[in-house]
Amino acid sequence: MFSFEYPEYLRLLWLLPVVVWVWSVYLWWRRRAFLRLASPSTQERVLPGWSVGRFWLKNALLLVALALLVVAAANPRRGVVKTTAVQQSADVFIALDISNSMGARDVAPSRLEFAKVLARRLVRALAGERIGLVFFAGSAYVAMPLTTDSDAADMVLRTAAPELISTQGSDIGAALLLAAERFDPDPNAGRAIILLSDGEDHENRLLEAVERLQDLGIVVFSVVVGSEEGAPLIMADGQYKRDEDGQLIRSRADKMALCRLASATRGECYDARQGDALIEAIRLEIAQLDRRAVQRRASDKFESYYSWFALPAFLLIALYAALGWRRRMFLLGAVGLAFAPVLSAQSAQKLLRQGDALYGEGRYAEAEAAYRQAQQQALDDPRPSYNLGHVLYRQGRYPEAQQAWERALSTASAPEQKADIWYNLGNAFAQQNRWEAAIRAYENSLRLRPGDPDAKVNLQLAQKKRQQKQASAPSASAAAANNQQPPPSANPTPPPQAAPSPSKRMTPEEANRLLEAAVVPQDQNNYRKYHQLSPEKHQLRPRKDW
């Protein structure tokens, strides 16, 4: 069933016809004023593009938006009634002291406010138990009977104040006896009273209350609110309370009396300043009480639908602001400006997919153009620069591929992406015979993804090349031979399967030929294995040998 949480706001809808009447009067006055200044034939030249239809269109948008906002403010909602359920619970009364002495400020902001917050936290911690509330000062009354409705208990605790009881003083015994009478007489149910007070008692009925509680088997958990040093009492007018001699009257918490009360009923005594430890300790104590089956009907829950009205209202207000009184194309321009980021992101994705398809067909020049356009439209996305580097690498333009990957590295965030980029940078450096830079790149890739077989093999080859370059003779023929040796493959290259015989020394050219013959079959196997990895794990290499 639908209802409104704040139906009084719906009365504002009566103002909408008044607004329409005001606009009509304005148009009538405006038309008469212009007739005095110019003839109907010259009004178009005075106000070009202005029309009554445009005026009503804009204001109709505003009027509907206002109506939707009023309905949203009333909060339309639908009630969801839960079925009755049976649960095991104990019965707990919270006895809250609201006497004048609870206004002392030895705990901030005052004893009463501190105790109210603590009691509300206890209600939430004891959700599922039957909770009742007793407020007392010079007398006591049941503020709420036993119930499983924790929301109602929280609301009642918010209203606790000394003004609720006209008879001031402090009668702890009366509160305990009243709570004992309001428990169900079922002997199988666990029953407890949580007493939140500063311990001041002026009626001396505690002994009677303790005997009655012992007979009924009710446990009392005392919570001392305040300090034994005490604080001056503050009257309702904000002045400090004084005795006949003009001395300040101090209220001191009687911790000893409250602890004796708890001990006599097999309960526990706590200091309110213990905070979370106090809440958890009481919850555990209550959980150990005997429990009984009770029927619990959950409170009605409501699903609010105000957003269904608020969002269209804001959209209509945006259209109202974008629609000009005279310029017909202003609306289209505003809408285009609002959707420009979305259209740009969609265009970049389309260009990336187009470049991937062209790359797969071997049309590297066209793929390069598509990736460069995507790079301009998605400046913070590393994928266009990453894919552009692959296209340039395939065309043998290694310095440009290096620059593209360095740009991708500056925008990449995922460790897997950075590991792939560093590996490719190592290949680009190797193709330029920059062995020191290649070694650093492979090492960075391995730091991000330890155990990568491709990076390990290429790192070993790059280190070997550096050693050969450092140990080579300064002859022109040896230098030419070293320069002609191919750099490490961009694809995985595992170590050779067989080592040369130690009895016959191999030349560098023979060693390279043997290494390449061993690498090719394993390289193809790793190629197939890498393409079987899930796209989610390697998001930057959907269809390329990366």
Side-chain angles (χ1 to χ4, degrees), residues 267-301:
E268 296 291 340
C269 183
Y270 305 96
D271 191 317
R273 290 169 292 186
Q274 290 179 260
D276 293 338
L278 159 68
I279 302 292
E280 182 63 16
I282 293 180
R283 187 188 69 80
L284 294 176
E285 291 288 347
I286 298 297
Q288 296 176 5
L289 296 177
D290 294 334
R291 321 184 83 72
R292 66 168 181 170
V294 296
Q295 284 191 345
R296 176 178 181 269
R297 183 183 181 274
S299 58
D300 294 346
K301 300 297 181 181

Short mmCIF file of all heavy atoms in Angstrom, two decimals, residues 267-301:
data_model
loop_
_atom_site.label_atom_id
_atom_site.label_comp_id
_atom_site.label_asym_id
_atom_site.label_seq_id
_atom_site.Cartn_x
_atom_site.Cartn_y
_atom_site.Cartn_z
N GLY A 267 24.20 -10.15 39.92
CA GLY A 267 24.51 -9.38 38.72
C GLY A 267 25.92 -8.82 38.76
O GLY A 267 26.76 -9.26 39.55
N GLU A 268 26.18 -7.86 37.91
CA GLU A 268 27.50 -7.24 37.82
C GLU A 268 27.34 -5.73 37.90
O GLU A 268 26.27 -5.17 37.61
CB GLU A 268 28.19 -7.61 36.50
CG GLU A 268 28.49 -9.08 36.34
CD GLU A 268 29.58 -9.56 37.28
OE1 GLU A 268 30.35 -8.72 37.78
OE2 GLU A 268 29.64 -10.77 37.55
N CYS A 269 28.44 -5.07 38.28
CA CYS A 269 28.46 -3.62 38.40
C CYS A 269 29.48 -3.06 37.41
O CYS A 269 30.60 -3.59 37.28
CB CYS A 269 28.82 -3.21 39.83
SG CYS A 269 28.79 -1.43 40.11
N TYR A 270 29.11 -2.00 36.69
CA TYR A 270 29.97 -1.43 35.66
C TYR A 270 30.04 0.09 35.82
O TYR A 270 29.14 0.71 36.40
CB TYR A 270 29.44 -1.74 34.26
CG TYR A 270 29.24 -3.22 33.99
CD1 TYR A 270 27.97 -3.80 34.16
CD2 TYR A 270 30.28 -4.02 33.58
CE1 TYR A 270 27.76 -5.14 33.92
CE2 TYR A 270 30.08 -5.38 33.33
CZ TYR A 270 28.82 -5.93 33.50
OH TYR A 270 28.63 -7.26 33.26
N ASP A 271 31.10 0.65 35.28
CA ASP A 271 31.25 2.10 35.18
C ASP A 271 30.81 2.52 33.78
O ASP A 271 31.24 1.94 32.79
CB ASP A 271 32.70 2.52 35.43
CG ASP A 271 32.85 4.02 35.61
OD1 ASP A 271 32.22 4.77 34.84
OD2 ASP A 271 33.61 4.43 36.49
N ALA A 272 29.96 3.53 33.71
CA ALA A 272 29.42 3.95 32.41
C ALA A 272 30.50 4.40 31.46
O ALA A 272 30.31 4.37 30.23
CB ALA A 272 28.39 5.07 32.60
N ARG A 273 31.63 4.80 32.00
CA ARG A 273 32.71 5.30 31.13
C ARG A 273 33.51 4.18 30.47
O ARG A 273 34.44 4.45 29.72
CB ARG A 273 33.63 6.21 31.94
CG ARG A 273 32.98 7.52 32.33
CD ARG A 273 33.81 8.29 33.35
NE ARG A 273 33.85 7.62 34.64
CZ ARG A 273 34.41 8.14 35.74
NH1 ARG A 273 34.96 9.34 35.67
NH2 ARG A 273 34.41 7.48 36.88
N GLN A 274 33.14 2.93 30.73
CA GLN A 274 33.84 1.82 30.09
C GLN A 274 33.51 1.70 28.60
O GLN A 274 34.22 1.02 27.86
CB GLN A 274 33.48 0.50 30.79
CG GLN A 274 34.05 0.38 32.18
CD GLN A 274 33.65 -0.91 32.85
OE1 GLN A 274 32.73 -0.94 33.67
NE2 GLN A 274 34.33 -1.99 32.50
N GLY A 275 32.42 2.30 28.14
CA GLY A 275 32.11 2.38 26.71
C GLY A 275 31.79 1.04 26.08
O GLY A 275 30.94 0.29 26.54
N ASP A 276 32.51 0.72 25.00
CA ASP A 276 32.24 -0.50 24.22
C ASP A 276 32.42 -1.76 25.06
O ASP A 276 31.68 -2.74 24.88
CB ASP A 276 33.16 -0.56 23.00
CG ASP A 276 32.85 0.54 22.00
OD1 ASP A 276 31.72 1.05 22.04
OD2 ASP A 276 33.73 0.86 21.18
N ALA A 277 33.40 -1.76 25.96
CA ALA A 277 33.61 -2.94 26.80
C ALA A 277 32.39 -3.20 27.68
O ALA A 277 31.99 -4.36 27.90
CB ALA A 277 34.85 -2.75 27.67
N LEU A 278 31.77 -2.14 28.18
CA LEU A 278 30.56 -2.28 28.99
C LEU A 278 29.42 -2.87 28.16
O LEU A 278 28.72 -3.79 28.60
CB LEU A 278 30.17 -0.91 29.54
CG LEU A 278 28.71 -0.72 29.98
CD1 LEU A 278 28.42 -1.55 31.20
CD2 LEU A 278 28.42 0.74 30.25
N ILE A 279 29.21 -2.35 26.96
CA ILE A 279 28.12 -2.84 26.09
C ILE A 279 28.30 -4.33 25.80
O ILE A 279 27.36 -5.13 25.90
CB ILE A 279 28.10 -2.05 24.78
CG1 ILE A 279 27.90 -0.55 25.04
CG2 ILE A 279 27.02 -2.57 23.84
CD1 ILE A 279 26.57 -0.18 25.58
N GLU A 280 29.51 -4.73 25.44
CA GLU A 280 29.76 -6.12 25.10
C GLU A 280 29.62 -7.03 26.32
O GLU A 280 29.08 -8.14 26.23
CB GLU A 280 31.16 -6.26 24.51
CG GLU A 280 31.54 -7.65 24.05
CD GLU A 280 30.65 -8.17 22.93
OE1 GLU A 280 29.95 -7.36 22.31
OE2 GLU A 280 30.67 -9.39 22.69
N ALA A 281 30.05 -6.56 27.48
CA ALA A 281 29.95 -7.38 28.69
C ALA A 281 28.49 -7.62 29.06
O ALA A 281 28.10 -8.76 29.39
CB ALA A 281 30.67 -6.70 29.85
N ILE A 282 27.65 -6.60 29.00
CA ILE A 282 26.23 -6.77 29.33
C ILE A 282 25.55 -7.66 28.29
O ILE A 282 24.71 -8.51 28.63
CB ILE A 282 25.54 -5.40 29.43
CG1 ILE A 282 26.08 -4.63 30.64
CG2 ILE A 282 24.03 -5.55 29.52
CD1 ILE A 282 25.47 -3.27 30.84
N ARG A 283 25.90 -7.51 27.03
CA ARG A 283 25.30 -8.35 25.99
C ARG A 283 25.61 -9.83 26.23
O ARG A 283 24.72 -10.68 26.10
CB ARG A 283 25.83 -7.93 24.62
CG ARG A 283 25.14 -8.63 23.45
CD ARG A 283 25.84 -8.33 22.15
NE ARG A 283 27.16 -8.95 22.09
CZ ARG A 283 27.38 -10.22 21.80
NH1 ARG A 283 26.35 -11.03 21.52
NH2 ARG A 283 28.61 -10.72 21.77
N LEU A 284 26.84 -10.11 26.61
CA LEU A 284 27.21 -11.50 26.89
C LEU A 284 26.49 -12.03 28.13
O LEU A 284 26.08 -13.20 28.18
CB LEU A 284 28.73 -11.61 27.07
CG LEU A 284 29.57 -11.33 25.81
CD1 LEU A 284 31.05 -11.37 26.13
CD2 LEU A 284 29.23 -12.35 24.71
N GLU A 285 26.32 -11.19 29.15
CA GLU A 285 25.61 -11.63 30.35
C GLU A 285 24.14 -11.92 30.04
O GLU A 285 23.59 -12.92 30.49
CB GLU A 285 25.71 -10.55 31.44
CG GLU A 285 27.11 -10.36 32.02
CD GLU A 285 27.51 -11.52 32.92
OE1 GLU A 285 26.63 -12.33 33.29
OE2 GLU A 285 28.70 -11.63 33.25
N ILE A 286 23.51 -11.06 29.25
CA ILE A 286 22.11 -11.27 28.90
C ILE A 286 21.96 -12.53 28.04
O ILE A 286 20.97 -13.27 28.16
CB ILE A 286 21.55 -10.04 28.16
CG1 ILE A 286 21.59 -8.80 29.06
CG2 ILE A 286 20.14 -10.29 27.65
CD1 ILE A 286 20.73 -8.90 30.29
N ALA A 287 22.95 -12.80 27.19
CA ALA A 287 22.87 -13.97 26.32
C ALA A 287 22.91 -15.27 27.12
O ALA A 287 22.47 -16.32 26.62
CB ALA A 287 24.02 -13.95 25.31
N GLN A 288 23.43 -15.24 28.35
CA GLN A 288 23.50 -16.45 29.17
C GLN A 288 22.22 -16.71 29.95
O GLN A 288 22.09 -17.76 30.60
CB GLN A 288 24.67 -16.35 30.14
CG GLN A 288 26.03 -16.30 29.45
CD GLN A 288 27.17 -16.09 30.42
OE1 GLN A 288 26.97 -16.09 31.63
NE2 GLN A 288 28.38 -15.92 29.89
N LEU A 289 21.26 -15.78 29.93
CA LEU A 289 20.01 -15.98 30.66
C LEU A 289 19.15 -17.03 29.96
O LEU A 289 19.30 -17.29 28.76
CB LEU A 289 19.25 -14.65 30.75
CG LEU A 289 19.92 -13.52 31.54
CD1 LEU A 289 19.06 -12.27 31.48
CD2 LEU A 289 20.14 -13.93 32.99
N ASP A 290 18.23 -17.62 30.73
CA ASP A 290 17.27 -18.56 30.13
C ASP A 290 16.40 -17.82 29.13
O ASP A 290 16.05 -16.65 29.31
CB ASP A 290 16.39 -19.18 31.23
CG ASP A 290 17.21 -20.05 32.16
OD1 ASP A 290 18.25 -20.56 31.72
OD2 ASP A 290 16.79 -20.21 33.33
N ARG A 291 15.99 -18.53 28.10
CA ARG A 291 15.22 -17.90 27.03
C ARG A 291 13.95 -18.69 26.82
O ARG A 291 13.86 -19.88 27.11
CB ARG A 291 16.04 -17.83 25.75
CG ARG A 291 17.50 -17.48 25.99
CD ARG A 291 18.29 -17.31 24.72
NE ARG A 291 18.16 -16.00 24.14
CZ ARG A 291 18.72 -14.90 24.66
NH1 ARG A 291 19.41 -14.98 25.78
NH2 ARG A 291 18.56 -13.74 24.07
N ARG A 292 12.99 -18.02 26.25
CA ARG A 292 11.73 -18.67 25.92
C ARG A 292 11.28 -18.22 24.54
O ARG A 292 11.72 -17.19 24.03
CB ARG A 292 10.66 -18.33 26.95
CG ARG A 292 10.27 -16.86 26.95
CD ARG A 292 9.04 -16.62 27.76
NE ARG A 292 8.66 -15.21 27.73
CZ ARG A 292 7.51 -14.76 28.22
NH1 ARG A 292 6.65 -15.60 28.76
NH2 ARG A 292 7.23 -13.48 28.16
N ALA A 293 10.39 -19.00 23.96
CA ALA A 293 9.89 -18.70 22.63
C ALA A 293 8.81 -17.62 22.72
O ALA A 293 7.87 -17.73 23.51
CB ALA A 293 9.31 -19.95 21.97
N VAL A 294 8.96 -16.59 21.93
CA VAL A 294 7.96 -15.52 21.86
C VAL A 294 7.66 -15.25 20.39
O VAL A 294 8.50 -15.43 19.51
CB VAL A 294 8.47 -14.23 22.55
CG1 VAL A 294 8.68 -14.46 24.02
CG2 VAL A 294 9.76 -13.73 21.89
N GLN A 295 6.45 -14.81 20.15
CA GLN A 295 6.07 -14.42 18.80
C GLN A 295 6.47 -12.97 18.58
O GLN A 295 6.18 -12.10 19.40
CB GLN A 295 4.57 -14.59 18.58
CG GLN A 295 4.14 -16.03 18.40
CD GLN A 295 2.71 -16.13 17.94
OE1 GLN A 295 1.97 -15.17 18.01
NE2 GLN A 295 2.33 -17.30 17.46
N ARG A 296 7.13 -12.78 17.47
CA ARG A 296 7.63 -11.44 17.17
C ARG A 296 7.15 -11.03 15.78
O ARG A 296 7.44 -11.71 14.80
CB ARG A 296 9.17 -11.41 17.20
CG ARG A 296 9.77 -10.08 16.81
CD ARG A 296 11.29 -10.15 16.92
NE ARG A 296 11.90 -8.89 16.58
CZ ARG A 296 12.31 -8.56 15.36
NH1 ARG A 296 12.16 -9.44 14.37
NH2 ARG A 296 12.86 -7.40 15.11
N ARG A 297 6.42 -9.96 15.72
CA ARG A 297 6.01 -9.40 14.44
C ARG A 297 6.90 -8.20 14.15
O ARG A 297 6.89 -7.22 14.87
CB ARG A 297 4.55 -8.96 14.46
CG ARG A 297 4.06 -8.44 13.12
CD ARG A 297 2.62 -7.96 13.24
NE ARG A 297 2.11 -7.47 11.98
CZ ARG A 297 2.26 -6.24 11.52
NH1 ARG A 297 2.96 -5.37 12.24
NH2 ARG A 297 1.75 -5.86 10.36
N ALA A 298 7.69 -8.34 13.15
CA ALA A 298 8.64 -7.27 12.83
C ALA A 298 7.89 -5.99 12.47
O ALA A 298 6.78 -6.02 11.93
CB ALA A 298 9.54 -7.69 11.67
N SER A 299 8.51 -4.88 12.78
CA SER A 299 7.90 -3.59 12.43
C SER A 299 7.83 -3.45 10.92
O SER A 299 8.64 -4.01 10.18
CB SER A 299 8.72 -2.45 13.03
OG SER A 299 10.04 -2.52 12.56
N ASP A 300 6.84 -2.70 10.49
CA ASP A 300 6.66 -2.50 9.06
C ASP A 300 7.85 -1.75 8.48
O ASP A 300 8.32 -0.76 9.05
CB ASP A 300 5.37 -1.71 8.79
CG ASP A 300 4.14 -2.51 9.20
OD1 ASP A 300 4.28 -3.71 9.42
OD2 ASP A 300 3.06 -1.90 9.30
N LYS A 301 8.31 -2.21 7.36
CA LYS A 301 9.39 -1.55 6.65
C LYS A 301 8.82 -0.85 5.42
O LYS A 301 7.85 -1.31 4.81
CB LYS A 301 10.46 -2.57 6.22
CG LYS A 301 11.09 -3.31 7.39
CD LYS A 301 11.83 -2.37 8.32
CE LYS A 301 12.47 -3.14 9.47
NZ LYS A 301 13.19 -2.26 10.40
#
